[in-house]
């Protein structure tokens, strides 16, 4: 099986923020969207929104530019995580992330990022009732068009 991926279909997202609330509850112990590792940016006057999340890039700009080596792959190579023992809080990762996925937690005053709930099915995916968020092997995605386009878009084989 290929490495699991986090897929987002913004056209299915209704902007309810349940992904953000549940993420913050699980990881920070509060139902506060500012503590979420995934962000739904609402544009109410346009009637649209955008979802910002860690793409688990490979290679990852955040990891390559981290001067202390604090951003590393987990043991399985599935996701990047922050080793807070090594993090010097320079915030270089915030500057270099092309997706805006490295976030400064207001309460913790440290960098937080999506770590895919340590490789199990992320809580944001579990709480998304519209199916806009999906986690698994690209080949197993129920929509073959999404699977093919996602693979090409990320440099993989369709």
């Amino acid at each position: 099986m290929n490495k699991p991926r986090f897929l987002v279909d913004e056209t299915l997202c209704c902007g309810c923020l349940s992904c953000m609330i549940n993420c913050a509850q699980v990881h920070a112990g509060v139902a506060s969207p500012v503590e979420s590792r995934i962000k739904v940016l609402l544009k109410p006057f346009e009637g649209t929104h955008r979802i910002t999340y860690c793409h688990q890039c490979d290679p990852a700009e955040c990891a390559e530019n981290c001067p202390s080596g604090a951003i590393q792959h987990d043991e399985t190579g599935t996701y990047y995580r922050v080793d807070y023992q090594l993090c010097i809080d320079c915030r270089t990762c915030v500057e270099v992330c092309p997706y805006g996925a490295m976030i400064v937690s207001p309460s913790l005053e440290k960098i937080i990022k999506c770590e895919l709930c340590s490789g199990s099915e992320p809580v944001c995916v579990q709480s998304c009732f519209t199916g806009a968020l999906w986690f698994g092997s690209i080949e197993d995605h129920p929509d073959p068009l999404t699977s093919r386009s996602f693979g090409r878009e990320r440099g993989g084989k369709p």
Side-chain angles (χ1 to χ4, degrees), residues 80-111:
Y80 281 95
R81 60 181 176 77
V82 179
D83 181 338
Y84 293 107
Q85 298 295 322
L86 297 176
C87 181
I88 59 173
D89 199 33
C90 67
R91 302 185 183 185
T92 300
C93 55
V94 175
E95 298 297 319
V96 300
C97 176
Y99 300 104
M102 302 301 288
I103 302 158
V104 179
S105 165
S107 67
L108 301 174
E109 296 183 7
K110 65 179 181 180
I111 300 300

